Short mmCIF file of all heavy atoms in Angstrom, two decimals:
data_model
loop_
_atom_site.label_atom_id
_atom_site.label_comp_id
_atom_site.label_asym_id
_atom_site.label_seq_id
_atom_site.Cartn_x
_atom_site.Cartn_y
_atom_site.Cartn_z
N GLY V 1 5.15 -9.21 3.70
CA GLY V 1 5.80 -8.74 4.91
C GLY V 1 6.83 -7.68 4.62
O GLY V 1 7.20 -7.44 3.47
N GLY V 2 7.29 -7.03 5.68
CA GLY V 2 8.29 -6.00 5.52
C GLY V 2 8.40 -5.13 6.75
O GLY V 2 7.90 -5.47 7.82
N LEU V 3 9.05 -3.99 6.58
CA LEU V 3 9.26 -3.02 7.66
C LEU V 3 8.22 -1.92 7.55
O LEU V 3 8.01 -1.35 6.47
CB LEU V 3 10.66 -2.44 7.56
CG LEU V 3 11.03 -1.34 8.56
CD1 LEU V 3 11.03 -1.88 9.98
CD2 LEU V 3 12.39 -0.75 8.20
N VAL V 4 7.58 -1.61 8.67
CA VAL V 4 6.56 -0.58 8.69
C VAL V 4 6.65 0.19 10.00
O VAL V 4 7.06 -0.36 11.03
CB VAL V 4 5.15 -1.19 8.50
CG1 VAL V 4 4.80 -2.10 9.67
CG2 VAL V 4 4.10 -0.12 8.31
N GLN V 5 6.27 1.46 9.98
CA GLN V 5 6.28 2.29 11.18
C GLN V 5 5.05 2.02 12.04
O GLN V 5 4.02 1.58 11.53
CB GLN V 5 6.32 3.77 10.81
CG GLN V 5 7.59 4.19 10.10
CD GLN V 5 7.59 5.67 9.77
OE1 GLN V 5 6.64 6.39 10.04
NE2 GLN V 5 8.68 6.14 9.19
N PRO V 6 5.15 2.26 13.35
CA PRO V 6 3.96 2.12 14.20
C PRO V 6 2.81 2.96 13.67
O PRO V 6 2.99 4.10 13.25
CB PRO V 6 4.44 2.64 15.56
CG PRO V 6 5.91 2.41 15.55
CD PRO V 6 6.34 2.64 14.13
N GLY V 7 1.62 2.38 13.70
CA GLY V 7 0.45 3.03 13.16
C GLY V 7 0.21 2.77 11.68
O GLY V 7 -0.85 3.13 11.16
N GLY V 8 1.17 2.17 11.03
CA GLY V 8 1.07 1.89 9.61
C GLY V 8 0.28 0.63 9.31
O GLY V 8 -0.26 -0.02 10.21
N SER V 9 0.25 0.27 8.03
CA SER V 9 -0.53 -0.87 7.57
C SER V 9 0.27 -1.75 6.63
O SER V 9 1.17 -1.28 5.92
CB SER V 9 -1.80 -0.41 6.83
OG SER V 9 -2.65 0.33 7.68
N LEU V 10 -0.06 -3.03 6.62
CA LEU V 10 0.46 -4.00 5.67
C LEU V 10 -0.65 -4.97 5.31
O LEU V 10 -1.55 -5.22 6.12
CB LEU V 10 1.64 -4.79 6.25
CG LEU V 10 3.01 -4.13 6.36
CD1 LEU V 10 3.96 -5.06 7.11
CD2 LEU V 10 3.56 -3.79 4.99
N ARG V 11 -0.57 -5.54 4.11
CA ARG V 11 -1.46 -6.61 3.73
C ARG V 11 -0.65 -7.83 3.35
O ARG V 11 0.16 -7.79 2.42
CB ARG V 11 -2.37 -6.22 2.55
CG ARG V 11 -3.45 -7.28 2.28
CD ARG V 11 -4.38 -6.92 1.15
NE ARG V 11 -3.75 -7.08 -0.17
CZ ARG V 11 -4.42 -7.21 -1.30
NH1 ARG V 11 -5.75 -7.18 -1.30
NH2 ARG V 11 -3.77 -7.33 -2.44
N LEU V 12 -0.85 -8.92 4.09
CA LEU V 12 -0.20 -10.17 3.80
C LEU V 12 -1.07 -11.02 2.89
O LEU V 12 -2.29 -11.01 3.00
CB LEU V 12 0.08 -10.95 5.09
CG LEU V 12 0.87 -10.22 6.19
CD1 LEU V 12 1.12 -11.17 7.36
CD2 LEU V 12 2.17 -9.66 5.65
N SER V 13 -0.42 -11.77 2.01
CA SER V 13 -1.12 -12.68 1.11
C SER V 13 -0.61 -14.10 1.31
O SER V 13 0.57 -14.32 1.59
CB SER V 13 -0.90 -12.28 -0.35
OG SER V 13 -1.42 -10.99 -0.62
N CYS V 14 -1.50 -15.06 1.17
CA CYS V 14 -1.17 -16.47 1.24
C CYS V 14 -1.74 -17.14 0.00
O CYS V 14 -2.96 -17.32 -0.10
CB CYS V 14 -1.74 -17.10 2.51
SG CYS V 14 -1.57 -18.90 2.61
N ALA V 15 -0.87 -17.50 -0.93
CA ALA V 15 -1.28 -18.12 -2.19
C ALA V 15 -1.20 -19.63 -2.06
O ALA V 15 -0.16 -20.17 -1.69
CB ALA V 15 -0.40 -17.63 -3.34
N ALA V 16 -2.28 -20.32 -2.38
CA ALA V 16 -2.35 -21.77 -2.29
C ALA V 16 -2.16 -22.41 -3.65
O ALA V 16 -2.50 -21.82 -4.69
CB ALA V 16 -3.69 -22.21 -1.70
N SER V 17 -1.63 -23.64 -3.64
CA SER V 17 -1.32 -24.33 -4.88
C SER V 17 -2.53 -24.98 -5.54
O SER V 17 -2.43 -25.44 -6.68
CB SER V 17 -0.26 -25.41 -4.63
OG SER V 17 -0.73 -26.38 -3.72
N ARG V 18 -3.64 -25.02 -4.84
CA ARG V 18 -4.86 -25.57 -5.40
C ARG V 18 -6.05 -24.82 -4.82
O ARG V 18 -5.88 -23.93 -3.97
CB ARG V 18 -4.98 -27.07 -5.12
CG ARG V 18 -5.15 -27.43 -3.64
CD ARG V 18 -5.54 -28.88 -3.49
NE ARG V 18 -5.62 -29.32 -2.11
CZ ARG V 18 -6.70 -29.18 -1.34
NH1 ARG V 18 -7.79 -28.58 -1.80
NH2 ARG V 18 -6.68 -29.64 -0.09
N SER V 19 -7.23 -25.19 -5.26
CA SER V 19 -8.45 -24.54 -4.78
C SER V 19 -8.56 -24.63 -3.27
O SER V 19 -8.28 -25.66 -2.66
CB SER V 19 -9.68 -25.19 -5.42
OG SER V 19 -10.87 -24.67 -4.86
N ILE V 20 -8.97 -23.52 -2.66
CA ILE V 20 -9.21 -23.49 -1.21
C ILE V 20 -10.70 -23.54 -0.90
O ILE V 20 -11.09 -23.42 0.26
CB ILE V 20 -8.56 -22.25 -0.56
CG1 ILE V 20 -9.17 -20.96 -1.13
CG2 ILE V 20 -7.06 -22.28 -0.74
CD1 ILE V 20 -8.71 -19.71 -0.40
N PHE V 21 -11.51 -23.73 -1.93
CA PHE V 21 -12.96 -23.73 -1.75
C PHE V 21 -13.41 -24.77 -0.74
O PHE V 21 -14.30 -24.50 0.07
CB PHE V 21 -13.64 -23.96 -3.10
CG PHE V 21 -15.14 -24.05 -3.02
CD1 PHE V 21 -15.91 -22.90 -2.93
CD2 PHE V 21 -15.78 -25.28 -3.04
CE1 PHE V 21 -17.29 -22.97 -2.86
CE2 PHE V 21 -17.16 -25.36 -2.97
CZ PHE V 21 -17.92 -24.21 -2.88
N SER V 22 -12.81 -25.97 -0.80
CA SER V 22 -13.24 -27.07 0.05
C SER V 22 -12.43 -27.21 1.34
O SER V 22 -12.70 -28.12 2.13
CB SER V 22 -13.16 -28.39 -0.73
OG SER V 22 -11.84 -28.66 -1.15
N ILE V 23 -11.47 -26.32 1.58
CA ILE V 23 -10.68 -26.37 2.80
C ILE V 23 -11.51 -25.81 3.95
O ILE V 23 -12.05 -24.70 3.85
CB ILE V 23 -9.36 -25.60 2.64
CG1 ILE V 23 -8.50 -26.28 1.57
CG2 ILE V 23 -8.61 -25.51 3.96
CD1 ILE V 23 -7.20 -25.56 1.28
N ASP V 24 -11.59 -26.56 5.04
CA ASP V 24 -12.47 -26.19 6.15
C ASP V 24 -12.16 -24.81 6.70
O ASP V 24 -13.06 -24.01 6.97
CB ASP V 24 -12.38 -27.23 7.27
CG ASP V 24 -13.10 -28.52 6.93
OD1 ASP V 24 -13.92 -28.53 5.99
OD2 ASP V 24 -12.84 -29.53 7.62
N ALA V 25 -10.87 -24.52 6.89
CA ALA V 25 -10.49 -23.24 7.46
C ALA V 25 -9.06 -22.89 7.05
O ALA V 25 -8.22 -23.77 6.88
CB ALA V 25 -10.62 -23.24 8.97
N MET V 26 -8.82 -21.60 6.91
CA MET V 26 -7.50 -21.06 6.69
C MET V 26 -7.18 -20.11 7.84
O MET V 26 -8.08 -19.43 8.34
CB MET V 26 -7.41 -20.32 5.36
CG MET V 26 -7.77 -21.15 4.14
SD MET V 26 -6.51 -22.39 3.74
CE MET V 26 -5.12 -21.32 3.30
N GLY V 27 -5.93 -20.08 8.22
CA GLY V 27 -5.57 -19.24 9.35
C GLY V 27 -4.24 -18.54 9.20
O GLY V 27 -3.40 -18.93 8.39
N TRP V 28 -4.09 -17.48 9.97
CA TRP V 28 -2.82 -16.78 10.12
C TRP V 28 -2.34 -16.94 11.56
O TRP V 28 -3.12 -16.74 12.50
CB TRP V 28 -2.93 -15.30 9.78
CG TRP V 28 -3.04 -15.01 8.32
CD1 TRP V 28 -4.17 -14.78 7.60
CD2 TRP V 28 -1.94 -14.90 7.39
NE1 TRP V 28 -3.86 -14.54 6.28
CE2 TRP V 28 -2.50 -14.61 6.13
CE3 TRP V 28 -0.56 -15.03 7.50
CZ2 TRP V 28 -1.72 -14.44 4.99
CZ3 TRP V 28 0.22 -14.86 6.37
CH2 TRP V 28 -0.36 -14.57 5.13
N TYR V 29 -1.08 -17.30 11.72
CA TYR V 29 -0.43 -17.42 13.01
C TYR V 29 0.82 -16.55 12.99
O TYR V 29 1.31 -16.15 11.93
CB TYR V 29 -0.05 -18.87 13.31
CG TYR V 29 -1.22 -19.80 13.49
CD1 TYR V 29 -2.01 -20.19 12.41
CD2 TYR V 29 -1.55 -20.30 14.75
CE1 TYR V 29 -3.09 -21.04 12.57
CE2 TYR V 29 -2.63 -21.16 14.92
CZ TYR V 29 -3.39 -21.52 13.83
OH TYR V 29 -4.45 -22.38 14.00
N ARG V 30 1.36 -16.26 14.17
CA ARG V 30 2.61 -15.51 14.23
C ARG V 30 3.45 -16.00 15.39
O ARG V 30 2.95 -16.54 16.37
CB ARG V 30 2.35 -14.01 14.36
CG ARG V 30 1.74 -13.58 15.68
CD ARG V 30 1.41 -12.10 15.65
NE ARG V 30 0.84 -11.63 16.91
CZ ARG V 30 0.35 -10.42 17.10
NH1 ARG V 30 0.35 -9.53 16.11
NH2 ARG V 30 -0.14 -10.08 18.29
N GLN V 31 4.75 -15.80 15.26
CA GLN V 31 5.69 -16.16 16.31
C GLN V 31 6.71 -15.04 16.46
O GLN V 31 7.48 -14.76 15.53
CB GLN V 31 6.39 -17.49 16.02
CG GLN V 31 7.24 -17.99 17.17
CD GLN V 31 7.61 -19.45 17.02
OE1 GLN V 31 7.56 -20.00 15.93
NE2 GLN V 31 7.96 -20.08 18.12
N ALA V 32 6.70 -14.39 17.62
CA ALA V 32 7.64 -13.34 17.94
C ALA V 32 8.86 -13.94 18.63
O ALA V 32 8.78 -15.03 19.20
CB ALA V 32 6.98 -12.29 18.83
N PRO V 33 9.99 -13.24 18.61
CA PRO V 33 11.19 -13.74 19.29
C PRO V 33 10.93 -14.04 20.75
O PRO V 33 10.37 -13.22 21.48
CB PRO V 33 12.19 -12.60 19.12
CG PRO V 33 11.75 -11.89 17.88
CD PRO V 33 10.25 -11.97 17.91
N GLY V 34 11.30 -15.24 21.19
CA GLY V 34 11.14 -15.64 22.57
C GLY V 34 9.73 -16.03 22.97
O GLY V 34 9.49 -16.28 24.16
#
């Protein structure tokens, strides 16, 4: 995460402590102010 200008790009990473091979699903969620 970080600060980026409109129209720009970012790549988020989520590192897991164990294998994710057998995990049914992984997801990204977000929460904006309010």
Side-chain angles (χ1 to χ4, degrees):
L3 176 65
V4 65
Q5 295 181 358
S9 298
L10 284 174
R11 188 179 75 160
L12 306 183
S13 298
C14 172
S17 62
R18 66 169 175 86
S19 174
I20 61 172
F21 177 80
S22 61
I23 296 177
D24 286 343
M26 302 289 294
W28 285 97
Y29 294 72
R30 68 185 181 187
Q31 187 164 20

